[in-house]
Amino acid sequence: MSQYAPVHGELAHNLDLSLQKIAEASDRKASIIILPECCTTGLVFGNRADLFDLAEEIDGPSVAAWRSIASRLNIYLIAGMAEREGNRLYNTAVTVAPDGAVLRYRKAHVFGGERSLFDLGDQLACVETPWGRIGLAVCYDLWFPELTRALAKNGATLIVSPSNWFVPPRQSTDAPDATPMAMHLAIAAACSNEITVACADRTGEECGVRFLGNSFIVGPNGRLLAGPASASEDDCLVAEWGDASLTRTMVQSHMATRREQLYDSPVVTLNDTTSAS
């Protein structure tokens, strides 16, 4: 995966930069390459209209260029973009396969100022690869364990999350511990579902918002396979892909142990006279 700083509103520059980062990751023998959230436009916009003017349709120039390089390098690419469809605007993770096939996942959970920018996606998505099934998420989606659980239940052995983690307003940018909360959430999701989770964040500052970097890949046991990356510098993380069939067996065994009916049943409370003594 590649961690770097897109430039606010600079479409041509950001597309060229994404192609450069893809090539660098491919040179390091990466077969699945992940880029940050909204890597073609940036994310910090004061109003929807400004971002809408920069957003692209799914068959626009960025996806076309990504399809070309994915085919040439024989890689799978997952990249974040602002996607326009009609009068709607989505924070989208696009997956491009070597054969040119395109799958999109539209971010289902948006945070803070994003709520005035984006419409909500309403469909989970997975993509089949030679290394197993990949489930798609974007940044704030990781705060909702129901989403990662649903992807694991549907066969995902890897969840990827293009991200833009930023320093919370109440936290100093020079705080001694600026570890993104998403790292803890991803570790929990990986361990509780026995899957791999890979998060590609961005660095730098955009319109006064400072981003956290610290991209990483965490394995099914909750241990980091790669990273965390630098908090401020461009970085490229590569991890060896485990045995997908073994991971799938682990996930199936884990899911079989779950007790869905119990979780949906009423909870006995202290003042319930039917509770056991």
Side-chain angles (χ1 to χ4, degrees):
M1 72 170 64
S2 292
Q3 168 182 289
Y4 60 96
V7 178
H8 179 82
E10 297 292 336
L11 291 178
H13 169 85
N14 290 334
L15 178 56
D16 287 345
L17 185 57
S18 76
L19 298 176
Q20 174 188 328
K21 298 300 182 181
I22 292 165
E24 291 173 357
S26 178
D27 286 344
R28 294 188 59 184
K29 309 304 182 185
S31 298
I32 300 170
I33 299 173
I34 313 164
L35 304 183
E37 177 182 10
C38 286
C39 70
T40 57
T41 57
L43 181 63
V44 184
F45 287 83
N47 62 75
R48 179 181 170 107
D50 288 347
L51 179 55
F52 193 90
D53 288 343
L54 293 169
E56 297 178 41
E57 296 183 348
I58 199 67
D59 58 355
S62 291
V63 174
W66 291 339
R67 291 179 70 187
S68 177
I69 197 170
S71 174
R72 179 166 57 85
L73 299 179
N74 193 34
I75 53 101
Y76 284 80
L77 171 68
I78 300 98
M81 65 176 289
E83 180 208 355
R84 184 179 72 242
E85 184 179 62
N87 63 355
R88 302 183 74 80
L89 184 62
Y90 298 99
N91 187 332
T92 296
V94 176
T95 298
V96 181
D99 64 1
V102 174
L103 175 74
R104 62 186 165 197
Y105 163 71
R106 292 163 168 170
K107 188 175 182 179
H109 307 92
V110 296
F111 178 80
E114 285 184 80
R115 293 169 184 155
S116 65
L117 300 177
F118 295 108
D119 296 291
L120 298 180
D122 57 9
Q123 180 69 59
L124 301 186
C126 290
V127 59
E128 295 288 353
T129 77
W131 305 276
R133 181 174 291 181
I134 299 175
L136 303 178
V138 177
C139 200
Y140 191 49
D141 284 328
L142 290 181
W143 270 249
F144 300 86
E146 298 86 352
L147 184 142
T148 51
R149 175 71 76 184
L151 293 173
K153 287 176 67 176
N154 279 277
T157 54
L158 167 66
I159 292 176
V160 303
S161 177
S163 299
N164 274 190
W165 306 320
F166 59 87
V167 179
R170 63 182 178 277
Q171 178 176 301
S172 170
T173 57
D174 59 358
D177 180 12
T179 301
M181 180 55 65
M183 182 179 295
H184 303 289
L185 295 167
I187 289 171
C191 192
S192 62
N193 292 297
E194 300 196 25
I195 57 176
T196 299
V197 180
C199 299
D201 193 25
R202 63 157 291 174
T203 56
E205 186 171 314
E206 183 181 326
C207 301
V209 175
R210 185 179 180 86
F211 295 93
L212 291 173
N214 285 279
S215 301
F216 59 86
I217 304 169
V218 59
N221 61 359
R223 308 298 184 191
L224 289 174
L225 299 175
S230 166
S232 58
E233 302 297 327
D234 289 5
D235 211 341
C236 179
L237 301 180
V238 179
E240 292 290 333
W241 187 259
D243 186 336
S245 62
L246 176 59
T247 303
R248 182 69 244 142
T249 299
M250 292 167 56
V251 174
Q252 289 171 341
S253 175
H254 179 76
M255 294 301 171
T257 308
R258 301 182 73 248
R259 300 179 61 190
E260 295 282 0
Q261 291 182 336
L262 175 63
Y263 309 144
D264 291 336
S265 65
V267 177
V268 175
T269 59
L270 184 63
N271 63 352
D272 191 331
T273 58
T274 64
S275 62
S277 60

